[in-house]
Every structure is written in structure tokens, then in C-alpha cells.
């Protein structure tokens, strides 16, 4: 998520206030905001070594001043626990850390005003600017004294890093300093946070396919006939062929009889960072939710159990929702899905106690998937709204993000479910269970598989914690699934059907088709807006799969058009009304040929219809243009409403009439279809603009320059003994006149001079890390900043053990003293370690960035790049040493190198000793790594015949 100029300026001010307030003031920068943090004074997060965790837990519990508790949302994660102590200070952390089997002791945080704990992983997630070279990335990591832990999303420059210094290193303050650096897009602690599923448990009995009322409601269990998604009309056109669906949840039983036929045998475990065919399988006692969710979307038509909305769609899956998972690990599920080219992604979960603006890394990867996924057409991402019957603001839940489809729940009577969350950023409803109405029948964990969790149905009975009730006789299915957790995959399955019919639709077009074809149920209670057609509680209504698929089919024959996107912004002054089109146009380079221009796809708005009224729009003063009808300027479209503009122009000159006037604007495309309307009055009040606008609503303020000053600094030395005199030099290139400069030394003092000297004084035997910030502000208020980490050791520690530091040197073979950052393939180098180990070296492990590893001090290696573009690779080395006190100390160093393409590639495309795939994993000293119609009569027979045929067709494997 990019930071705006004003947000960056506020962030700098907030950090200055934080530092002036003292070291105990903590802040978490994300979403362009400074979120205050509270560190628990009585809780510590404990990680224990594998294999000895049980014994370590016993030792912790034996401490009379320590109460051991399981992670509330992951009780099966036995390697982790929360220790409640009298005082969670540094001394107590060190005491517990010294116990055998304890790997780390870290703080517990909460956002100010929140009760939900966030556990410190010790890591930071950071996105670096794409313009940085490999050498500049290495320098950045060195300056902030952080080591690379993981390349989360190399394509977009997102990394997980850890501050050097062990358990005591402060990732909160390190991340805050990095955030303000103009070389980053975002940086925040990679906290372990809680997510929860959006499912509720309170339903009565139903039966298998005939009881899947959400597909064909015949009044089962007291429901209303026709209160379903009209699947019959959709299935006459497609069953979801050639679409890949993804999911992130607690787990998925990929071997289930109704799921395995559609599995591509590539899965992901976000908690363990593994990708194997069995990675999504249930592992914890609570792992049962994802199997039920996914069955509603893609359960196979194979004469067993149930049928998903898109029974021919294939799927991949990520698990980990019930594990101890960081924000970055949540994000990794979307990176994995994008790499697999997932078309539609299902998310029946939400974060607890964390707003969207507090999760930059997760929001950023969702945005990247929406923008770049599915070969740049965009991944369709669907989120459940939740089950608290609560009004959601734009920042409250991932389901409100403009890049996702937010789904609420309707029940078997076509009424908003009693529990469904709602809000102006929730898009549609889809069926689910409700009190005293039938639940949703779906897949459940296979009991015979031997998983820790049997699922919801345990031998024909269902226990929801309030009592045991009967369930389906086949324990591999359940009839009690409910909540927006069920609505979400039903909507996602419908999106998969849309994509199946027209693979060239963008993610925005899929969402628009889903919205435009939805049924506006409960019109008397929903309060659909007379212009925007949207309800605060019902969105655009309950989805209609038949109508949606028909619209997608039509789009194949009319140049790819569906309906135009909503307008992105509307502005008004005393003389003009202006607006910005919301077209999401994508460039698709299908042939990957630079000599041929890419194809431009997406919805194109060809004009805007503007109507005017002297009175506010309402139930008796409403207008929605009819598709295919052309309206003329001056035409009274309905009583009291006149068309005043209908052209491609995006500016309208106001008539200058006194009094408040009201305008409605409707985009129109080349086939005469109108998008949802937007209203504005001459007082600047706007309705119908989503949070994706990117522009402020209301009065236009005119242009201003938003280019940030480009700051550079030179600080020396970066470490030493107190009192330490440090020379600071700051500079900046700015497109606008500079208004002011400021050095904040992070110790309560500052200076307005760009070049100055400052003395750091530290008492005691501890080493303190400071993050001085140099900020440059231009006359428009644009702020550029740069920071660096400085370690100052107290005088009392002089002569004591020194932890030391290590770095990586990349030399050309036979060249003494050389140090290089790039070379042409095949690129031969000698890798070595420089610096001061913390003690006697116990072990060394190299990750050479191309799949190869090594375990020696020096490593000769050959990097191969058979592609047509440069490849930048991260090299890391981990050195474990035994200190003079007998402690095992781990040191990590990171560096980037760039391998240019081979200017003279061999005829077979490969190098000697390489397999030709361009991974370069070879070389001495290195090891290679690894519309509604009843389902009756002939219509029903046709659908079932198609389903039977479906079971006989060999499915395509992606």
C-alpha cells in the first residue's frame, strides 16, 4: 500500500512525537497511518525447540512466577505458548531464555484500544522501492543492521528481515525507522496475529444434493421456493471448466472423494512455508473449516455426496489459519496463489483486532494479486463479511477492500441473514443458513483419513459446543455449515463460472457482472439507493449465477463488454462538474513478443449521462437509465429529472442557477449499457464513490506537486562505545524549493542543520540502538526521509564479550581483494565471510539464492541465467558460534547479486553442468535444492445428463 505525501508527513511528525515522548512510546506504521502500540507488561511469547518442547513447557510451568498458557487460537501449536509473569522486562526475558529447550522469548503487543494480542516474531516485512539496485538493497540491510530471513515476494520486492542482536533486538522501532526511509514502500513488524473463520453453528437437518437448497430451493426445511442462486441456467452453459480456484483456510482434505478429482496436487502450508501435494491437509484439532468451505465451490459431480457451484473447476489450497502465523505468512498464501495463476480465490476468514490499514504486507499482496494475477487480467478475490450483524467501515475488514468482492449472507427465505455483517463496501449476498432455517450441506473431513480433526460430523453426530445433534449418516459430509463462511465460496464458485465462459474478462469485469446481475431481494427493507442501486445492508442483492453466466457469455460476442465500471471520482466547483472514469484497462502481452504491441482489455467507458434535479433523489424522485436506451440533452427522463449531458467529455459547465442542485452521473459503454450511478449536489455531497477512488470527494483544490525530496545521508561511525561522537551529513534533490531540514537523533535531541555532529551517551553495560532520521520538507509539504541504525555500547561493558558482525564478500576467482555485485552468465564467483564471528564457529550454512546451498567458510559457485533479462538473487549465510560464555550465538548476513543474461548462449540453451532451466543451481562447493428456472422435467434431466457426462470427461491439469 503506497503512502501518500500527507500520510508520510504525518508519519514523520508522529515519529518525532513518539521519540520526544520516550522509548516506551511504540508505533506501528501501516496504511499510511501511525498506529500506537501497547507492549504487555505481564505477558511473553515463548517459542521452544522442536523435539523438546514438552519438556521445556514443563520447566516453564515449574517456575512459581510463570503461568503457561496455550496460544488461544492455536492450542495445537505445542512449540509456542504465552507465559504470564510478574514483570515482562528484559531481565525476565533473559532468565526464561536461559532455560533448556527455550528458543526465544519475545514481547506481546496490542494496538491501543484493542484486546487482541499480537505476538512478536522478531521479524519485519518490508517492501523496497523497485528502483534499488542489488548493491543498494544490500547497503539498506547493512545500514539498518537487519538480515534477510525470507524473500516473500521477489517480483514486487517484499522481504522478511530480522534485526541483528538476538531476542533483545527491537523489530518495532527498527520497522518504524525503515518505514520513514524513502527507499521503502512499507515496513512493519511481522506480528503473529489471530484470524477467525466466518462460520456459525446453529442449523437443523437436511439431505445431500437434494438438500442443497442454495442451488435449487424447492422449500426444503421451510425455505422459500426460488430463494437460491439459479444454478440450473448457469449449468446449461458451463460447469466451470478450465478455471483454477484457490483458497486460504485452516486446511483442506485434498484426498476427499468429492474434492480430489479436481485437485492439481500442488498445495501450500503458510505456517511451515512448504509446497507439497499434501501440504493443505488437516494437522490440528481445529482444522475442519476449509474442507467445508471449498466443497461449496468445487465439489465434483461424481455421484457422491454434494456438488459445488463450479464442479469442473480445479483447485489448489493453502493452510495455516489455525496455526501461529504472522502477517507475512498470511500474505504468502496470496503470493503462492498468484504464482499458481489462480483465477478465483476464496477467503472465509478475517483478521481479529487488526484493521486493513494495519496490515500493509497483506493488503499489498492482495492488491498485487488483483492487479497482476491471472496473467495480468487480475485474480478475483472473494472475502466473507463476517457474522456479528455489524456495520463495517472501509477499514474494518479485508472484505471491504476495493480489490476484493465482499460477500454477506441471505437465508433460505431470501432475507438478509440475522448475523450477516454489512456496509457500503460489501458487494453482494449469497445463500447461507440462519436460525430455524436449513443450513448448508457440504463436504467434511474424511473420517477414515486419520486426521487429528474428524471435522464437523463425527460419526453421524454434530457437536457445536452447545450440545450434540444428529448430522448426516455419512460422516464425510455435514448439513450444519453456515455463516458468511458458506456464502463466500458460493459467490466464488459463481465467479469461477463467469471466468470459465469468458477467460478474457478482467477481475473488475467479473465483479461488475456479479453485481449487475444480482437480485435486489427485500426491496421494502433493504433501502436500495435510487441512483447507485446499492443497499447498505444488502449490497447489490443476492447473486444469480444463471444471469451472471449468461452475461459473461454475451460478453464474448460483443467485443468483451459487460457493464462499465463505477466512476472513480466526482468533483464540483461553482462553475463546473467534473469526474474521472473508473475503467480498469489491462495490457496483456499474450505472445511475450516485444515487437508486437500488448492487447488492451477491460471495460471501456464511451460516455457519461448526467441528469439534474432541483430536489434530492429519493423514492419518489428516482431514475436508473435503461440499458440500450439513448437519452438526449434536454430530455425529461422522468418527472422533475432532466438529462443535461451525454457525451465522452468528463466536464460539465454548471448552469449557474441559484439554490442547491442535484446531479446523477451514469457511465455508459459502447453497447449502451449503463454502470451504477453516482450522485453529487452543488454543496459537494457525494454518494456512490467507492474507497478505491484515489481522489478526494467534494470541492476541487487544484493541482500541486507531490514529488518527494530525494534524500541522501552520510553517517559515521555506525557503532562504538559511549560517549560516541557521530558525524551527520544530509542532502536532498528536490523538484520544489526546500522549506526545512531536520535531524532527529532518536535520543530526545534534534538539529535543523543538514551537517552536524552529535554525541550519544549510554549508561550501563547494555548496547542501545538508535535510529536517527533526516527529514527534508519542501514548500508544498512533501517530506522525504532517510534513516540508519547506530549501536552505542555503554562504558561498563568495555572489555566484555563482543557479539561481532559478519558480511558476505563476492570475489572473482583469482582476484585478490575484489568485491563485485554483478556479472554475465555463466558468472563464476568465490563467496566468503568477512567480519568478526561471535565466538568459535560451530556451523555455517549458505543459501546461494538459486536453489544451491553450502556449509563451508568459502564457496566457489557458478551462477547461470538463461533468460532474456537480468536476475537479482539474494545470498545469505548463517553462522553459529559458541561464545566465551558457552552460549550458542547465531549471526546472519545477506547480500544481493545480479546475474546478467549470457551474451553468447549455447545452441541448446544450457550451460555446461546446468540443466538449462536458468536456475544456476550448480557449481563446485554447492548442493542443488529443491435468470431463475425450476429444476424439474426436461430441464432437470438435461442438467443431470450434463453432470453425468462431466464425470466421464478427463479433466485438464494446469
Amino acid at each position: 500500500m503506497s503512502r501518500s505525501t500527507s500520510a508520510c508527513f504525518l508519519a514523520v511528525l508522529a515519529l518525532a512525537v513518539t521519540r520526544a515522548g520516550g522509548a516506551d512510546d511504540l508505533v506501528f506504521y501501516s496504511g499510511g497511518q501511525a498506529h500506537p502500540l501497547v507492549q504487555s507488561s505481564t505477558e511473553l511469547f515463548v517459542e521452544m525447540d522442536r523435539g523438546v518442547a514438552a519438556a521445556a513447557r514443563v520447566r516453564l510451568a515449574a517456575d512459581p512466577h510463570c503461568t503457561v498458557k496455550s496460544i488461544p487460537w492455536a492450542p495445537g501449536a505445542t512449540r509456542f505458548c504465552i507465559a504470564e509473569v510478574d514483570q515482562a522486562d528484559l531481565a525476565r526475558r533473559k532468565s526464561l531464555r536461559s532455560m533448556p529447550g527455550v528458543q526465544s522469548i519475545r514481547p506481546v503487543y496490542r494496538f491501543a484500544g484493542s484486546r487482541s494480542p499480537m505476538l512478536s516474531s522478531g521479524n519485519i516485512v518490508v517492501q523496497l522501492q523497485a528502483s534499488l539496485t542489488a548493491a543498494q538493497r544490500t547497503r539498506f540491510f547493512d545500514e539498518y543492521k537487519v538480515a534477510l530471513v525470507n524473500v516473500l515476494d521477489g517480483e514486487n520486492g517484499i522481504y522478511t528481515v530480522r534485526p541483528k542482536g538476538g531476542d533483545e533486538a527491537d523489530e518495532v522501532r527498527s520497522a518504524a525507522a525503515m518505514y520513514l526511509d524513502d527507499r521503502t514502500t512499507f515496513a512493519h513488524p511481522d506480528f503473529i496475529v489471530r484470524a477467525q473463520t466466518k462460520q456459525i453453528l446453529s442449523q437443523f437437518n437436511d439431505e445431500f444434493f437434494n438438500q442443497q437448497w442454495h442451488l435449487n430451493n424447492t422449500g426444503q426445511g421451510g425455505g422459500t421456493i426460488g430463494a437460491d442462486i439459479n444454478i440450473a441456467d448457469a449449468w446449461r452453459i458451463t460447469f466451470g471448466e478450465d478455471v483454477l480456484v484457490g483458497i486460504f483456510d485452516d486446511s483442506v482434505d485434498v484426498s476427499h472423494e468429492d474434492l480430489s478429482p479436481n485437485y492439481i496436487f500442488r498445495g501450500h502450508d503458510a505456517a511451515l512455508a512448504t509446497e507439497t501435494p499434501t501440504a493443505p491437509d488437516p494437522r490440528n484439532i481445529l482444522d475442519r473449516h476449509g474442507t467445508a468451505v471449498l466443497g461449496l465451490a468445487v465439489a465434483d459431480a461424481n455421484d457422491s455426496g454434494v456438488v459445488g457451484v463450479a464442479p469442473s473447476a480445479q483447485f489448489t489450497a493453502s493452510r495455516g489459519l489455525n496455526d501461529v502465523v504472522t502477517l507475512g505468512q498470511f500474505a504468502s498464501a496470496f503470493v503462492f496463489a498468484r504464482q499458481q495463476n489462480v483465477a478465483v480465490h476464496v477467503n472465509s476468514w478475517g483478521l481479529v483486532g487488526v484493521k486493513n490499514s494495519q496490515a500493509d504486507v497483506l493488503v499489498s499482496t492482495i492488491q498485487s494479486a488483483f492487479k497482476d494475477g491471472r496473467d495480468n487480467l487480475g485474480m478475483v478475490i472473494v472475502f466473507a463479511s463476517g457474522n456479528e450483524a455489524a456495520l463495517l467501515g472501509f477499514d474494518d475488514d479485508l472484505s471491504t477492500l476495493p480489490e476484493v468482492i465482499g460477500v454477506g449472507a441471505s437465508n433460505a427465505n431470501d432475507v438478509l441473514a440475522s448475523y450477516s455483517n454489512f456496509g457500503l463496501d460489501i458487494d453482494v449476498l449469497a445463500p447461507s443458513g440462519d436460525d430455524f432455517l436449513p443450513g448448508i450441506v457440504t463436504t467434511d473431513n474424511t473420517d477414515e483419513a486419520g486426521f487429528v480433526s474428524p471435522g464437523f460430523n463425527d460419526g453421524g453426530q454434530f457437536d457445536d459446543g452447545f450440545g450434540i445433534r444428529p448430522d448426516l449418516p455419512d460422516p464425510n459430509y455435514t448439513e450444519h455449515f453456515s455463516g458468511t463462511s458458506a456464502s463466500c465460496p458460493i459467490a466464488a464458485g459463481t465467479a469461477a463460472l463467469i471466468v470459465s465462459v469468458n477467460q478474457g474478462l478482467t477481475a473488475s469485469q467479473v465483479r461488475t457482472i456479479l453485481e449487475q446481475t444480482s437480485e435486489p431481494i427485500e426491496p421494502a427493507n433493504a433501502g436500495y439507493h435510487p441512483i447507485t442501486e446499492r443497499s447498505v445492508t444488502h449490497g447489490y442483492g443476492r447473486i444469480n449465477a444463471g444471469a451472471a453466466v449468461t452475461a459473461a457469455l454475451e460478453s464474448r460476442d460483443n467485443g468483451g463488454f459487460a457493464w462499465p465500471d463505477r466512476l472513480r471520482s466526482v468533483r464540483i466547483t461553482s462553475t463546473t462538474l467534473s469526474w474521472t472514469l473508473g475503467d480498469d484497462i489491462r495490457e496483456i502481452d499474450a505472445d511475450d513478443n516485444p515487437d508486437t504491441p500488448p492487447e488492451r482489455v477491460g471495460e471501456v467507458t464511451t460516455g457519461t449521462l448526467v441528469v439534474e434535479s432541483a430536489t434530492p433523489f429519493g423514492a419518489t424522485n428516482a431514475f436508473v437509465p435503461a440499458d440500450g436506451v439513448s437519452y438526449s440533452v434536454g430530455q425529461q427522463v422522468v418527472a422533475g429529472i432532466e438529462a443535461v449531458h451525454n457525451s465522452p467529455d468528463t466536464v460539465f459547465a454548471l448552469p449557474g442557477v441559484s439554490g442547491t442542485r442535484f446531479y446523477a452521473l451514469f457511465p455508459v459503454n459502447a453497447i449502451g449499457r449503463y454502470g451504477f450511478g453516482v450522485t453529487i449536489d452543488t454543496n459537494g455531497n457525494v454518494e456512490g464513490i467507492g474507497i478505491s477512488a484515489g481522489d478526494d470527494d467534494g470541492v476541487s483544490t487544484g493541482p500541486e506537486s507531490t514529488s518527494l525530496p530525494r534524500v541522501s545521508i552520510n553517517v559515521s561511525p555506525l557503532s562504538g562505545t559511549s560517549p560516541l561522537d557521530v558525524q551527520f551529513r544530509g542532502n536532498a534533490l528536490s523538484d520544489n524549493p526546500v522549506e526545512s531540514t531536520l535531524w532527529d537523533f532518536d535520543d530526545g535531541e534534534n538539529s535543523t542543520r543538514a551537517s552536524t555532529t552529535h554525541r550519544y551517551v549510554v549508561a550501563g553495560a547494555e548496547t542501545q540502538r538508535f535510529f536517527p532520521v533526516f527529514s527534508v520538507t519542501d514548500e508544498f509539504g512533501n517530506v522525504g526521509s532517510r534513516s540508519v541504525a547506530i549501536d552505542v555500547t555503554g562504558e561498563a561493558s568495555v572489555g566484555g564479550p563482543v557479539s561481532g558482525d559478519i558480511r558476505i564478500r563476492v570475489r572473482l576467482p583469482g582476484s585478490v581483494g575484489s568485491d563485485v555485485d554483478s556479472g554475465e552468465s555463466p558468472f563464476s564467483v568465490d563467496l566468503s565471510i568477512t567480519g568478526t564471528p561471535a565466538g568459535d564457529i560451530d556451523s555455517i550454512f549458505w543459501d546461494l539464492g538459486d536453489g544451491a546451498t553450502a556449509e563451508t567458510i568459502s564457496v566457489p559457485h557458478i551462477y547461470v541465467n538463461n533468460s532474456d533479462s537480468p536476475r537479482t538473487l539474494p545470498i545469505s549465510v548463517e553462522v553459529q558460534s559458541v561464545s566465551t560464555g558457552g552460549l550458542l550465538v547465531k549471526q546472519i548476513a545477506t547480500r544481493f547479486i545480479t546475474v546478467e543474461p549470457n551474451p553468447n548462449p549455447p545452441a541448446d540453451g544450457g550451460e555446461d553442468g546446468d540443466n538449462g532451466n536458468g536456475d544456476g543451481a550448480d557449481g563446485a562447493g554447492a548442493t542443488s535444492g529443491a435468470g431463475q428456472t425450476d429444476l424439474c422435467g426436461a430441464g432437470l434431466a438435461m442438467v443431470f445428463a450434463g453432470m453425468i457426462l462431466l464425470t466421464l470427461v478427463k479433466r485438464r491439469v494446469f
Side-chain angles (χ1 to χ4, degrees):
M1 181 179 293
S2 299
R3 296 164 293 184
S4 66
T5 302
S6 59
C8 185
F9 179 63
L10 291 173
V12 172
L13 290 180
L15 188 61
V17 171
T18 296
R19 286 170 174 156
D24 291 336
D25 295 327
L26 302 171
V27 67
F28 179 106
Y29 285 109
S30 185
Q33 301 176 42
H35 306 274
L37 286 174
V38 177
Q39 183 175 339
S40 175
S41 61
T42 58
E43 298 166 295
L44 293 169
F45 172 52
V46 184
E47 180 179 359
M48 292 159 282
D49 292 328
R50 295 183 186 275
V52 296
R57 193 180 183 113
V58 170
R59 294 188 188 97
L60 287 168
D63 187 325
H65 303 289
C66 179
T67 301
V68 177
K69 294 187 176 182
S70 297
I71 307 301
W73 61 90
T78 56
R79 286 185 55 233
F80 306 92
C81 68
I82 293 176
E84 291 190 348
V85 295
D86 297 332
Q87 183 64 41
D89 54 15
L90 185 57
R92 190 67 172 125
R93 288 170 59 185
K94 288 184 175 181
S95 173
L96 295 179
R97 175 67 177 86
S98 65
M99 289 187 178
V102 174
Q103 187 174 113
S104 68
I105 303 286
R106 302 206 57 83
V108 175
Y109 297 92
R110 289 172 176 83
F111 285 120
S114 173
R115 299 176 61 183
S116 300
M118 299 184 296
L119 312 180
S120 167
S121 69
N123 294 337
I124 299 167
V125 283
V126 56
Q127 184 176 37
L128 300 180
Q129 295 288 356
S131 60
L132 295 185
T133 64
Q136 288 170 330
R137 285 193 287 268
T138 300
R139 181 180 177 184
F140 177 90
F141 288 169
D142 286 344
E143 288 177 348
Y144 282 98
K145 302 186 189 315
V146 296
L148 181 70
V149 174
N150 178 43
V151 180
L152 181 59
D153 185 355
E155 183 178 348
N156 291 295
I158 303 178
Y159 306 96
T160 305
V161 299
R162 178 181 289 265
K164 299 174 182 178
D167 290 355
E168 292 75 30
D170 187 346
E171 81 271 31
V172 173
R173 297 185 67 249
S174 295
M178 294 165 70
Y179 181 90
L180 297 179
D181 195 301
D182 57 16
R183 291 170 291 182
T184 69
T185 301
F186 66 76
H188 61 71
D190 193 15
F191 284 149
I192 296 165
V193 299
R194 179 183 182 182
Q196 67 182 9
T197 60
K198 296 186 174 179
Q199 177 242 348
I200 58 175
L201 311 170
S202 57
Q203 310 306 327
F204 296 155
N205 291 341
D206 296 299
E207 297 178 13
F208 292 80
F209 175 72
N210 289 334
Q211 299 309 118
Q212 291 188 271
W213 62 266
H214 63 283
L215 301 177
N216 178 38
N217 195 332
T218 61
Q220 307 98 313
T224 299
I225 296 175
D228 54 51
I229 66 168
N230 184 24
I231 198 63
D233 285 352
W235 280 352
R236 290 188 179 95
I237 299 172
T238 181
F239 289 102
E241 295 85 358
D242 297 331
V243 175
L244 182 62
V245 173
I247 183 175
F248 177 51
D249 214 295
D250 55 9
S251 65
V252 172
D253 176 5
V254 295
S255 62
H256 192 287
E257 62 183 356
D258 244 349
L259 296 176
S260 61
N262 291 334
Y263 184 41
I264 65 169
F265 294 95
R266 287 197 297 275
H268 171 239
D269 188 324
L272 300 178
T274 57
E275 297 179 14
T276 67
T278 59
D281 274 344
R283 305 190 191 282
N284 296 330
I285 189 64
L286 299 178
D287 283 359
R288 58 181 184 171
H289 183 261
T291 301
V293 169
L294 190 61
L296 292 171
V298 299
D300 193 37
N302 56 3
D303 297 329
S304 296
V306 296
V307 180
V309 174
S312 274
Q314 296 185 294
F315 77 89
T316 184
S318 294
R319 73 163 299 278
L321 196 61
N322 284 334
D323 272 328
V324 180
V325 178
T326 69
L327 287 167
Q329 289 170 317
F330 278 103
S332 71
F334 294 94
V335 176
F336 170 78
R338 195 180 75 230
Q339 292 169 343
Q340 303 307 311
N341 214 26
V342 162
V344 180
H345 201 268
V346 187
N347 301 272
S348 290
W349 57 274
L351 298 176
V352 178
V354 179
K355 293 181 177 293
N356 297 340
S357 62
Q358 295 166 337
D360 270 352
V361 65
L362 183 51
V363 172
S364 176
T365 51
I366 290 174
Q367 291 173 334
S368 294
F370 173 78
K371 177 179 178 292
D372 303 323
R374 196 163 54 100
D375 296 328
N376 294 328
L377 287 168
M379 190 187 302
V380 181
I381 304 169
V382 189
F383 266 87
S385 68
N387 309 318
E388 294 76 35
L391 173 64
L392 297 177
F394 75 93
D395 195 32
D396 290 342
D397 191 79
L398 294 170
S399 61
T400 65
L401 287 172
E403 293 81 13
V404 313
I405 298 172
V407 184
S410 60
N411 64 26
N413 284 336
D414 247 359
V415 173
L416 181 72
S418 59
Y419 51 80
S420 182
N421 287 349
F422 54 91
L424 278 175
D425 301 298
I426 300 303
D427 301 286
V428 294
L429 304 178
S432 190
D434 207 351
D435 293 334
F436 310 111
L437 284 171
I440 299 292
V441 182
T442 185
T443 48
D444 196 26
N445 285 354
T446 305
D447 281 16
E448 311 88 71
F451 299 128
V452 176
S453 171
F456 296 104
N457 187 345
D458 188 3
Q461 59 185 21
F462 174 77
D463 185 359
D464 62 0
F466 300 95
I468 296 176
R469 293 180 280 130
D471 207 335
L472 295 173
D474 187 337
N476 298 337
Y477 301 87
T478 181
E479 62 181 353
H480 294 291
F481 202 60
S482 188
T484 56
S485 275
S487 304
C488 176
I490 293 172
T494 303
L497 296 177
I498 294 171
V499 174
S500 174
V501 172
N502 187 349
Q503 298 276 354
L505 293 170
T506 67
S508 294
Q509 288 178 298
V510 173
R511 176 176 57 195
T512 299
I513 288 174
L514 202 65
E515 295 169 343
Q516 287 279 0
T517 57
S518 288
E519 298 279 348
I521 62 172
E522 283 196 284
N525 298 323
Y528 295 100
H529 193 280
I531 301 298
T532 70
E533 302 180 65
R534 193 169 196 162
S535 162
V536 174
T537 53
H538 292 56
Y540 293 105
R542 188 252 307 132
I543 61 173
N544 183 325
V549 170
T550 300
L553 184 64
E554 292 172 350
S555 71
R556 293 194 319 196
D557 302 323
N558 56 24
F561 284 98
W563 286 269
D565 293 324
R566 290 185 293 272
L567 299 179
R568 185 168 298 154
S569 70
V570 181
R571 297 173 179 269
I572 198 164
T573 67
S574 59
T575 59
T576 61
L577 173 64
S578 60
W579 55 94
T580 303
L581 303 181
D583 298 344
D584 180 14
I585 306 299
R586 313 285 184 111
E587 290 193 347
I588 310 299
D589 191 3
D591 59 2
D592 199 25
N593 185 347
D595 296 327
T596 58
E599 178 186 7
R600 290 172 57 85
V601 299
E603 207 66 46
V604 178
T605 299
T606 59
T608 308
L609 171 66
V610 181
V611 299
E612 181 187 60
S613 172
T615 59
F617 298 107
T620 60
N621 188 41
F623 169 69
V624 174
D627 287 344
V629 177
S630 178
Y631 298 88
S632 303
V633 173
Q635 176 182 353
Q636 192 172 55
V637 294
V638 297
I641 301 178
E642 178 184 347
V644 295
H645 174 95
N646 193 358
S647 81
D649 294 339
T650 57
V651 178
F652 168 65
L654 297 176
V657 179
S658 61
T660 303
R661 310 293 289 182
F662 303 86
Y663 296 91
L665 298 84
F666 304 90
V668 62
N669 64 15
I671 61 172
R673 285 183 174 173
Y674 294 90
F676 294 116
V678 173
T679 70
I680 189 170
D681 61 32
T682 47
N683 295 321
N685 299 309
V686 178
E687 290 185 274
I689 294 292
I691 61 172
S692 59
D695 293 300
D696 295 331
D697 298 330
V699 179
S700 173
T701 57
E704 67 176 37
S705 172
T706 59
S707 176
L708 302 182
R710 297 172 293 284
V711 175
S712 62
I713 60 176
N714 189 307
V715 180
S716 180
L718 297 180
S719 61
T721 304
S722 175
L724 181 66
D725 292 323
V726 180
Q727 179 70 41
F728 292 90
R729 296 182 179 87
N731 204 349
L733 294 175
S734 178
D735 296 336
N736 309 299
V738 172
E739 187 76 17
S740 63
T741 62
L742 176 68
W743 274 106
D744 180 346
F745 299 118
D746 195 27
D747 61 355
E749 297 186 26
N750 55 63
S751 173
T752 58
R753 298 178 58 186
S755 297
T756 185
T757 300
H758 181 70
R759 171 168 291 186
Y760 286 98
V761 178
V762 174
E766 300 294 335
T767 296
Q768 188 170 345
R769 182 164 292 177
F770 297 90
F771 295 98
V773 177
F774 182 62
S775 302
V776 178
T777 306
D778 68 17
E779 66 176 1
F780 290 107
N782 302 310
V783 181
S785 301
R786 187 67 63 89
S787 182
V788 70
I790 299 176
D791 286 345
V792 182
T793 303
E795 292 179 288
S797 65
V798 176
V802 179
S803 62
D805 199 1
I806 61 170
R807 295 193 179 190
I808 297 172
R809 170 171 287 177
V810 182
R811 297 186 303 167
L812 297 176
S815 177
V816 178
S818 65
D819 196 3
V820 295
D821 292 304
S822 62
E824 292 180 347
S825 175
F827 184 23
S828 297
V829 296
D830 286 336
L831 306 174
S832 60
I833 302 168
T834 64
T836 307
D840 294 332
I841 295 178
D842 179 70
S843 66
I844 297 174
F845 180 80
W846 290 86
D847 183 341
L848 303 182
D850 59 0
T853 61
E855 298 179 4
T856 56
I857 293 179
S858 299
V859 182
H861 190 61
I862 301 174
Y863 287 95
V864 176
N865 179 9
N866 290 331
S867 69
D868 296 328
S869 57
R871 300 178 66 226
T872 298
L873 303 171
I875 308 171
S876 65
V877 62
E878 177 184 300
V879 178
Q880 289 199 134
S881 304
V882 180
S883 70
T884 54
L887 294 177
L888 193 63
V889 180
K890 181 188 297 183
Q891 296 170 282
I892 302 174
T894 304
R895 179 168 183 165
F896 292 84
I897 66 166
T898 299
V899 185
E900 301 288 344
N902 188 342
N904 300 298
D908 62 359
E911 301 287 350
D912 291 341
D914 181 62
N915 57 13
N917 63 4
D919 60 8
D922 64 323
T927 303
S928 179
Q932 187 76 43
T933 301
D934 288 339
L935 277 175
C936 59
L940 183 61
M942 289 174 62
V943 171
F944 282 152
M947 291 171 59
I948 294 171
L949 177 62
L950 179 65
T951 66
L952 304 178
V953 177
K954 182 177 180 181
R955 287 161 177 77
R956 170 185 171 192
V957 177
F958 282 65

